[in-house]
């Protein structure tokens, strides 16, 4: 038995598509990059300054060359994007870290500690040099330092850097050389779109670099209802669909067959304060709709996260994060960024919430998996042996083994949630959840071992980042 999921009616998706085509043709999209606009012009697109107009034929032509699934390669393994499983990725861009109830700016130790948690996580599938924002490395080396540090510390497939042309170009070449893989996607990177319908110069340059190199991108608008798009969720989806599809068209124009993901990471908005409302009921609906829209175009989808507006690791954090995380998993989204640790509209993270989010994510995955009903799992022989009014703790060996085997398959063993009585809890020291999570993340950091790198791989990294910046204060 498994929960069935069917979010959107075809008639609704058709209507969004119809108006998206009108909007692309009549309103257009801004690409703030002369090189990209000229490329559109050379392919026969109508332009007006930086505004590019597209037809439904342009969209359909692009969709024909988009892979519905692709392999994303890491140092020693790969992931299938679009293979039916939600790939879980770290946070993206927080500027503060909550520790022991107080907020701190990101320093080198906090950055590398968070990288260690990501690398040692059994639920995160990829690495991300953008997991935290920072200013402790000279600007000239910051992007390359982050890429090199994560390649060195984490063997999982990586998200890439997109801070303009040189940042993207260096991230691609560094990763290809470090892995020794030059003919397959080794990076998957966020091309962010500003609503309504505006690609910045940096995003345009990054899109060109990634597409030309045959690397993957997830095109992702992030809107706020009533502020950067009109007030309805339907209009938000219309705007986001236009923005995402225009990026898909651009990527396929640059290089047909470029692996692209359909992305929406938009939010509700609290117009009383002019702030996003992340973790809201509306965001659950938006994440669910994102998967429906992407599937409509037969594209793998990026959306979701364990996101919330909470300022501490509290009840609000738990409720909102589970709601957004579960909506993502249940929808069948192919990539979920902000999987663990996010707080305060994804602008902050917490070691404690990271650890608990790992467990909650395993719970959401468990619910989504469902359970098997068969002659074997009904365990009828166990009932015959125990009889009416009997018990199942002292069955015969064969029946006990069958019972325990099914138990281990059906029940998730949690390590943080407290299932004992309050008396036992008090006798054990009255530990709060954050006491348990701190013990766990502290131990994880102490036990972390950096993957070995060869002399040739070290040389690759040092071509981009000075040795004293890369290896000083061991990460």
């Amino acid at each position: 038995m498994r929960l069935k999921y069917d979010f959107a009616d075809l008639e609704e998706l058709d209507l969004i598509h119809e108006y998206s085509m009108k909007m692309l043709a009549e309103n257009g999209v801004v690409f703030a990059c002369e090189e990209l606009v000229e490329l559109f012009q050379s392919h026969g697109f109508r332009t007006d300054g930086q505004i590019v107009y597209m037809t439904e034929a342009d969209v359909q032509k692009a969709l024909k060359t988009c892979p519905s699934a692709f392999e994303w390669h890491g140092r020693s393994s790969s992931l299938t994007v679009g293979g039916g499983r939600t790939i879980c990725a770290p946070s993206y861009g927080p500027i503060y870290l909550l520790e022991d109830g107080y907020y701190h700016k990101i320093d080198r130790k906090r950055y590398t500690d968070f990288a260690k948690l990501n690398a040692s996580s059994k639920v995160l599938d990829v690495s991300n040099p953008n997991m935290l924002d920072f200013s402790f490395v000279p600007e000239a080396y910051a992007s390359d330092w982050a890429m090199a540090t994560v390649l060195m510390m984490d063997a999982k497939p990586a998200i890439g850097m997109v801070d303009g042309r040189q940042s993207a170009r260096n991230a691609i070449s560094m990763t290809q050389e470090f892995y020794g893989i030059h003919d397959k996607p080794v990076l998957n990177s966020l091309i962010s779109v500003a609503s309504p319908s505006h690609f910045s110069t940096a995003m345009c340059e990054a899109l060109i670099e990634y597409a030309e190199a045959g690397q993957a991108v997830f095109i992702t608008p992030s809107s706020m209802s009533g502020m950067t798009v009109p007030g309805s969720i339907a209009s938000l989806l219309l705007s986001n669909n236009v923005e995402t599809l225009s990026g898909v068209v651009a990527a396929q124009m640059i290089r047909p067959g470029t692996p692209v993901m359909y992305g929406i990471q938009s939010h509700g908005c609290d117009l009383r304060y002019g702030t996003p409302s992340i973790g809201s009921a509306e965001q659950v609906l938006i994440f669910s709709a994102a998967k429906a829209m992407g599937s409509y175009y037969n594209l793998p989808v990026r959306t979701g996260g364990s996101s919330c507006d909470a300022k501490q690791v509290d009840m609000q954090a738990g409720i909102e994060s589970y709601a957004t995380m579960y909506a993502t998993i249940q929808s069948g989204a192919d990539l979920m960024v902000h999987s663990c640790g996010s707080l305060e509209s994804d602008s902050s993270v917490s070691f404690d919430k990271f650890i608990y989010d790992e467990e909650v994510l395993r719970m959401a995955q468990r619910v989504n998996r469902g359970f098997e009903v068969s002659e074997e799992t009904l365990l009828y022989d166990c009932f015959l042996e125990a009889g009416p009014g009997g018990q199942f703790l002292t069955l015969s060996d064969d029946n006990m083994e069958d019972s325990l085997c099914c138990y281990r398959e059906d029940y998730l063993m949690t390590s943080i949630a407290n299932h004992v009585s309050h008396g036992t809890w008090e006798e054990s020291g009255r530990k709060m959840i954050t006491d348990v999570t701190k013990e766990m993340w502290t131990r994880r950091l102490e036990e972390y071992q950096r993957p070995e790198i060869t002399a040739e791989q070290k040389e690759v990294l040092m071509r981009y980042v000075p040795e004293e910046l890369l290896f000083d204060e061991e990460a």
Side-chain angles (χ1 to χ4, degrees), residues 44-169:
F45 288 80
R46 180 167 67 93
T47 65
D48 180 7
Q50 294 183 332
I51 300 176
V52 177
Y53 302 89
M54 301 176 186
T55 66
E56 183 166 10
D58 296 324
V59 173
Q60 295 301 336
K61 179 182 177 182
L63 291 172
K64 287 179 181 178
T65 60
C66 292
S68 59
F70 60 90
E71 291 297 307
W72 179 4
H73 295 266
R75 191 192 302 190
S76 56
S77 62
S78 66
L79 297 165
T80 300
V81 180
R85 183 177 75 85
T86 301
I87 293 169
C88 297
S91 57
Y92 199 116
I95 57 177
Y96 297 104
L97 190 143
L98 176 70
E99 189 174 349
D100 294 329
Y102 293 94
Y103 283 89
H104 307 272
K105 292 285 284 184
I106 305 302
D107 56 21
R108 181 175 182 133
K109 184 178 187 306
R110 292 188 173 97
Y111 183 95
T112 53
D113 280 352
F114 217 74
K116 292 174 184 177
L117 288 184
N118 289 334
S120 59
S121 174
K122 290 181 171 57
V123 300
L124 293 182
D125 302 298
V126 300
S127 61
N128 184 13
N130 309 278
M131 61 189 161
L132 298 171
D133 199 3
F134 60 89
S135 58
F136 54 82
V137 174
E139 186 176 353
Y141 296 107
S143 178
D144 292 344
W145 179 86
M147 192 75 245
T149 296
V150 167
L151 288 176
M152 181 172 59
M153 296 183 67
D154 195 337
K156 299 170 184 174
I159 292 173
M161 305 299 292
V162 291
D163 305 321
R165 175 174 285 108
Q166 197 60 52
S167 169
R169 184 176 294 171

Side-chain angles (χ1 to χ4, degrees), residues 224 227 267-270 274-278 309 345:
M224 292 191 292
M227 295 183 66
H267 325 292
C269 183
D270 194 326
T275 58
S277 51
I278 292 183
D309 275 336
S345 301

